[in-house]
Amino acid sequence: MKIFEELKFVIFFITVIILIIGIRIYNRNYFSHSVEETFELSLDTNYYLSHLELEGEIDYTIIDIRDIRDADTYINKHMQYAVNIEFPDLLKRTNRRLLDRGDKVIIYSDDISESVKAKSLLNQIGYSNIYILELRSTLEIDKDSVCLKNEMFKYKFQLDTAIKPE
Amino acid sequence: MMNYRVKFSILLIILGVILVLLPSMKKSINELNPNELLSKFMDNSYSISVDRLARYIVNEDTTIQIIDLRSSEDYKAFNIPGSINIPYTSLLNENWEGYINQNEKKNVFYANGDILSANAWCLTSRLGYKNNYIMAGGLNNWYKTVMESKFTGKRISPKESVLFEIRFKARKLFTQFNSLPDSLKVQFLEAKRMEEEQLNGGCN
């Protein structure tokens, strides 16, 4: 009992420190992937698919993340077998089943930055099987288009040789 | 045997040291949770049009910090005047945090397209950094809109006239700036700034 009396202060001290550290670093953060892991995934260009590459795929779920409040947009211009999950509903539990279904979850939108945002968010909550289908500015399915995996500069900068430093 | 006053003094000093050191973990504390991030992602005000950026450049708006995410080789070949180069591959490098995580200027990310800049925006948003934007369409859109645009109508409206004047000035600035040797680029921008100040009646 005497030892316990001696150690009482040490136990109290350690408990207070653990409590303070716990309170200071507590954060309701449900991300499965860290920023660094998400960054690594964003560097991998294999997660960007063209239409031609899509044709070779077998087991996948394809998700249209466009806002389809205008019903005609979806009926007339969605890809075959595509399921619509609007961007605000991405984290809904009912939609998680779709994300868990296939080997590959392929997402597309008219605006590629929307697809990038969706991929980034899903990567961060733990889905590493998210692929982006690169579309042109409109959702015209052009079988001949070969989309580039990397961002390529499409123009050529012409130097102005007439400029003289003053 | 130490008395309780001494013990509590030691305890308070150690707790003080811990509290001073803990703010270094602030980075993770500021991070958003998935629902907060989703809400932020749904707000489309993060995107700045090429014409708006051209206006900022022509007007030499000092509240804007333009960040080129391409490789240093691509940046050296040509870049938007006044931009700084933070290659996407080194975005999370601590050296850049001071530029990206600040509340004084609007950071505008750009690359050739939208993918890198959107990814950079997503990551910096997750980290809780504010004031970050992207130039919609990247340099490809810059070239299409600013460098190659021509008015093809019959009568130009005052609004279109202003728009095309800004594009013309931005195009001229871009071409002049990128045609100079690297050693003269900074001097060119400084000289241009002084010239504008004189035209606006400012002091030298």
Side-chain angles (χ1 to χ4, degrees):
Chain A
M1 284 305 282
K2 200 179 174 186
I3 296 168
F4 179 73
E5 284 295 316
E6 288 285 318
L7 289 173
K8 208 162 70 177
F9 178 78
V10 177
I11 293 166
F12 170 74
F13 178 73
I14 291 169
T15 312
V16 170
I17 287 179
I18 290 170
L19 275 174
I20 287 175
I21 293 174
I23 291 166
R24 289 285 295 179
I25 66 170
Y26 175 69
N27 184 22
R28 284 182 58 184
N29 194 337
Y30 305 116
F31 289 116
S32 302
H33 284 168
S34 67
V35 175
E36 288 75 17
E37 286 166 329
T38 312
F39 174 71
E40 290 300 323
L41 283 170
S42 75
L43 287 172
D44 191 340
T45 53
N46 289 317
Y47 287 104
Y48 299 89
L49 301 174
S50 68
H51 286 295
L52 287 175
E53 287 167 313
L54 182 67
E55 284 177 3
E57 298 294 334
I58 300 166
D59 187 11
Y60 63 85
T61 302
I62 185 158
I63 296 175
D64 176 343
I65 55 162
R66 292 170 306 151
D67 181 347
I68 54 152
R69 273 172 293 189
D70 172 14
D72 289 343
T73 309
Y74 186 65
I75 293 164
N76 297 328
K77 282 192 158 184
H78 76 280
M79 294 188 63
Q80 202 177 12
Y81 310 121
V83 182
N84 180 253
I85 301 179
E86 288 180 29
F87 198 88
D89 299 332
L90 266 180
L91 298 182
K92 280 192 177 169
R93 192 167 292 177
T94 45
N95 292 327
R96 297 282 180 97
R97 278 185 233 130
L98 280 170
L99 298 168
D100 292 327
R101 199 196 281 167
D103 282 343
K104 284 185 177 177
V105 175
I106 301 167
I107 51 177
Y108 71 91
S109 175
D110 293 334
D111 177 0
I112 198 157
S113 38
E114 288 291 305
S115 306
V116 169
K117 286 193 292 183
K119 177 180 179 291
S120 178
L121 187 64
L122 295 172
N123 282 162
Q124 291 178 57
I125 61 169
Y127 292 96
S128 303
N129 58 337
I130 311 296
Y131 292 72
I132 291 177
L133 179 64
E134 288 191 88
L135 297 175
R136 290 188 165 184
S137 55
T138 57
L139 194 66
E140 298 300 327
I141 314 297
D142 182 357
K143 294 280 179 191
D144 298 325
S145 75
V146 181
C147 297
L148 297 165
K149 282 190 172 184
N150 289 308
E151 295 199 317
M152 298 295 284
F153 187 60
K154 298 172 188 164
Y155 301 86
K156 193 167 190 285
F157 173 63
Q158 298 283 347
L159 287 172
D160 185 351
T161 49
I163 289 177
K164 290 173 188 167
E166 290 169 15
Chain B
M1 185 72 189
M2 278 193 286
N3 68 32
Y4 274 94
R5 280 185 184 177
V6 177
K7 282 181 179 176
F8 275 108
S9 300
I10 294 168
L11 173 66
L12 285 174
I13 290 166
I14 293 172
L15 291 182
V17 171
I18 289 169
L19 286 173
V20 167
L21 293 176
L22 275 178
S24 61
M25 300 168 85
K26 208 178 170 186
K27 192 174 170 182
S28 61
I29 293 167
N30 280 345
E31 284 187 21
L32 304 180
N33 70 42
N35 284 316
E36 287 169 338
L37 198 58
L38 179 68
S39 301
K40 187 161 186 185
F41 281 9
M42 280 156 55
D43 177 8
N44 285 327
S45 61
Y46 72 99
S47 179
I48 286 182
S49 72
V50 160
D51 278 319
R52 203 167 139 202
L53 192 74
R55 198 169 67 235
Y56 287 141
I57 294 162
V58 169
N59 294 336
E60 294 179 5
D61 192 324
T62 52
T63 61
I64 299 291
Q65 179 167 260
I66 306 165
I67 298 175
D68 189 323
L69 296 167
R70 298 172 303 149
S71 66
S72 54
E73 292 78 24
D74 287 348
Y75 176 80
K76 276 177 194 160
F78 58 89
N79 59 70
I80 292 181
S83 61
I84 57 168
N85 184 218
I86 300 181
Y88 181 75
T89 46
S90 66
L91 183 74
L92 299 182
N93 190 316
E94 283 178 5
N95 296 338
W96 303 124
E97 197 187 335
Y99 291 96
I100 303 169
N101 184 18
Q102 45 81 27
N103 294 320
E104 289 171 9
K105 292 183 176 183
K106 278 184 184 176
N107 285 325
V108 184
F109 295 124
Y110 78 87
N112 287 332
D114 279 318
I115 296 173
L116 288 187
S117 46
N119 269 315
W121 185 83
C122 290
L123 292 169
T124 52
S125 296
R126 155 91 181 262
L127 289 167
Y129 298 173
K130 296 181 176 72
N131 278 339
N132 290 323
Y133 299 82
I134 68 169
M135 179 175 82
L139 271 180
N140 281 321
N141 195 25
W142 169 272
Y143 241 79
K144 185 181 162 193
T145 310
V146 174
M147 306 299 284
E148 297 199 338
S149 76
K150 282 176 190 160
F151 182 72
T152 51
K154 286 181 181 170
R155 290 187 67 183
I156 191 162
S157 69
K159 200 177 167 185
E160 286 169 330
S161 176
V162 172
L163 182 70
F164 276 88
E165 191 185 341
I166 288 170
R167 286 180 185 175
F168 175 76
K169 284 182 177 175
R171 183 189 314 167
K172 194 178 161 193
L173 180 64
F174 184 91
T175 310
Q176 283 184 336
F177 178 77
N178 286 298
S179 300
L180 289 170
D182 288 345
S183 55
L184 293 174
K185 283 180 177 171
V186 176
Q187 287 163 274
F188 172 81
L189 287 178
E190 278 174 7
K192 196 178 169 299
R193 197 166 295 130
M194 282 175 72
E195 190 184 306
E196 288 287 328
E197 278 175 3
Q198 282 173 347
L199 285 172
N200 293 331
C203 303
N204 290 338

